[in-house]
Amino acid sequence: DELPGVQVLAGHGELTKADVALMEDLLVSANYRVEWLVLDNGDVPDPQSPLMILRPVYDFTEKELQTLTDYARAGGDFFIAANYDDPLNMENYNALLRSYGVEAYPGIVVAQADDLDAYYADMPDFLMPYMQETNATLPLIESARDRLIMPRTRAFRILPMEGSYTHVYPMLETG
């Protein structure tokens, strides 16, 4: 039996192996194989394994965007992470997000001062979002591991996608 895989995209200034070493160790200890891909080198993502795109700061080329679109059409899943100060002027990256019903907003999400459960201590820019029930999050919710602390977070908006084969499942929401 082959271990399930997780793919991590590199080549666009994303988080490095050193940045995500703990996450990679956690995945490996949970019996996942982790593969790093560089599309510009001809690597092609496997639609049987999710692809993590972790904070790119350089845009995808048209060819890379097509590779990612082909991956998704073949059934591939994305896990995309962004920071509040990541660039918003990446045309192809934004096109990828929009094609799957997501749009990034500039700036930082700040919790409402009266929603004390939505942020950490006296820091309304350190969000503690509510985990939403999805297939991926249900085991965490059931085991009471459903709260995160997320400092200085970028906002995303889910766009209407009528008639689309794409489904966006928000995993975290704030007050």
Side-chain angles (χ1 to χ4, degrees):
D1 289 330
E2 188 174 316
L3 294 175
V6 173
Q7 303 165 108
V8 184
L9 190 63
H12 309 92
E14 295 92 345
L15 295 177
T16 66
K17 279 187 159 229
D19 294 327
V20 298
L22 290 174
M23 179 192 71
E24 186 169 352
D25 289 347
L26 178 67
L27 288 167
V28 169
S29 71
N31 295 316
Y32 284 87
R33 87 187 135 70
V34 177
E35 181 180 4
W36 288 77
L37 304 179
V38 178
L39 301 178
D40 195 42
N41 290 349
D43 294 341
V44 177
D46 175 3
Q48 300 303 310
S49 299
L51 178 63
M52 300 181 88
I53 301 174
L54 305 175
R55 297 191 54 209
V57 295
Y58 305 114
D59 203 4
F60 304 132
T61 65
E62 290 290 332
K63 183 179 177 186
E64 290 171 328
L65 177 60
Q66 187 59 56
T67 298
L68 295 171
T69 302
D70 293 346
Y71 161 81
R73 286 193 178 135
D77 294 319
F78 294 108
F79 177 96
I80 299 174
N83 198 33
Y84 74 94
D85 61 352
D86 289 345
L88 286 172
N89 61 347
M90 296 186 290
E91 183 178 327
N92 291 327
Y93 172 73
N94 290 327
L96 178 71
L97 293 178
R98 279 191 310 276
S99 70
Y100 297 100
V102 178
E103 181 178 62
Y105 282 131
I108 298 174
V109 177
V110 179
Q112 294 180 4
D114 61 346
D115 190 1
L116 299 178
D117 289 336
Y119 60 92
Y120 180 74
D122 291 327
M123 298 178 282
D125 60 336
F126 277 57
L127 299 179
M128 293 179 58
Y130 302 98
M131 195 169 285
Q132 303 302 298
E133 192 172 306
T134 69
N135 289 339
T137 60
L138 189 57
L140 295 170
I141 293 169
E142 289 175 344
S143 64
R145 296 185 301 177
D146 58 345
R147 294 305 299 267
L148 302 172
I149 297 175
M150 300 178 68
R152 296 177 215 60
T153 305
R154 162 157 287 150
F156 289 91
R157 179 172 73 106
I158 297 174
L159 304 170
M161 297 290 291
E162 294 180 29
S164 173
Y165 63 89
T166 303
H167 299 282
V168 176
Y169 300 101
M171 299 172 107
L172 303 169
E173 288 188 8
T174 58

